[in-house]
Structure formats: structure tokens, C-alpha cells
Amino acid sequence: MSFSDLFDSGFKKRNEDHFAAIVRVAMDDGIITDDEKAFLDRLANNLNISEADYKLILKNYKSHPINPPVSYDKRLERLYDLVRMVHVDQIKGDSEHRLLHKIGVGLGFHAVNVKYIVDKALTLVSNGVDLDTFINEIKNMNR
């Protein structure tokens, strides 16, 4: 096995674990809504999750560890990516907020603050900010 194979398998495993964590968040209320399913389909595609792995993860999502990023900046990067996906998918209104609140808590943001973080994140992404601006604005939103 070459070094690049190790990197690829590690990257693939991280994407699968990240996807499974999002599935776990979506299943928090016991069901996956049509909007959540459509989002999961696109997320699986973006993370290069094969159809077979997708079905296996949906069936056994609890077998994957939840590993939210330890670093605050990494959590913000994931939030930025996911908010952009939701925004591009044009999931709007209550379903958008419910999905992003679940994801925010799943990423390790405190449940008390997640509403404010998600609202700010949606505003920033809809204004087309880049990642650096997004991180700076979220970090300094209470000033």
C-alpha cells in the first residue's frame, strides 16, 4: 500500500464519519424529512460517499464515531461549508433553520448559542463572504 493510498483511505474514512455524524443529527428526532434526505443525498455526493457506503451509513449510522473538530476554527470551517451547501440547495425557512440548528449542535456549538451562530452564518453566506471573513465575523459577533 502506497502513502497516497493511506491518505486517501484516511480522508475517505473522515468523510464517512462526518457524513454519519450529520445523519445522526438528522435522525435526532427519529425521522429524516424530505428536505433532510435531499440534503443528505447532495452531501454524500459532495463528500464522495459511494451509493453502497451511503446505504450502509444510513442503516448503521450509530456505528460511526461522532468526531466534531476539536479546534474552534475547524468547526467554523465545517459550519461554513455546510451553511453554503444548505444555502446553495435553497432550503429555506423553518426547515433550513431546524437542519442547521441540529448540525450546529452536532458540530459542538452550545445549544444556547447555536441560534445566533446559525442566523449570523446564514446572513454571512447569503452576503457571499469568504471563509476568512466568515470565521472573523462569527468569532467577533458579540462585539
Side-chain angles (χ1 to χ4, degrees):
M1 179 180 286
S2 73
F3 179 75
S4 63
D5 290 338
L6 289 173
F7 178 77
D8 289 343
S9 66
F11 186 73
K12 183 179 185 294
K13 176 72 171 136
R14 189 181 81 214
N15 280 350
E16 287 175 359
D17 288 346
H18 177 56
F19 180 71
I22 300 301
V23 170
R24 186 182 293 224
V25 168
M27 285 297 294
D28 183 53
D29 58 2
I31 59 165
I32 294 179
T33 66
D34 290 340
D35 286 337
E36 290 171 337
K37 175 74 166 90
F39 177 74
L40 291 173
D41 291 345
R42 288 184 291 278
L43 182 60
N45 185 51
N46 290 339
L47 293 174
N48 294 319
I49 307 288
S50 71
E51 183 69 26
D53 288 339
Y54 179 91
K55 288 178 182 178
L56 187 62
I57 290 169
L58 281 179
K59 185 178 179 182
N60 297 315
Y61 62 91
K62 289 184 179 180
S63 68
H64 291 263
I66 292 182
N67 294 320
V70 176
S71 141
Y72 187 62
D73 284 350
K74 292 292 182 192
R75 282 189 281 153
L76 290 175
E77 286 177 28
R78 276 220 190 136
L79 180 65
Y80 176 72
D81 290 340
L82 291 167
V83 170
R84 285 185 337 161
M85 283 184 223
V86 169
H87 181 73
V88 166
D89 289 341
Q90 298 182 357
I91 300 171
K92 299 291 182 201
D94 289 340
S95 59
E96 174 184 60
H97 285 273
R98 270 194 309 276
L99 179 62
L100 288 172
H101 286 159
K102 287 180 181 181
I103 289 171
V105 171
L107 283 173
F109 295 103
H110 195 282
V112 173
N113 298 328
V114 78
K115 176 193 182 320
Y116 306 107
I117 292 168
V118 164
D119 288 344
K120 181 70 171 186
L122 283 167
T123 299
L124 292 169
V125 167
S126 68
N127 290 335
V129 301
D130 63 7
L131 177 61
D132 291 333
T133 303
F134 180 88
I135 289 173
N136 185 50
E137 290 288 323
I138 295 288
K139 283 183 173 180
N140 296 302
M141 65 189 267
N142 290 327
R143 290 187 186 168

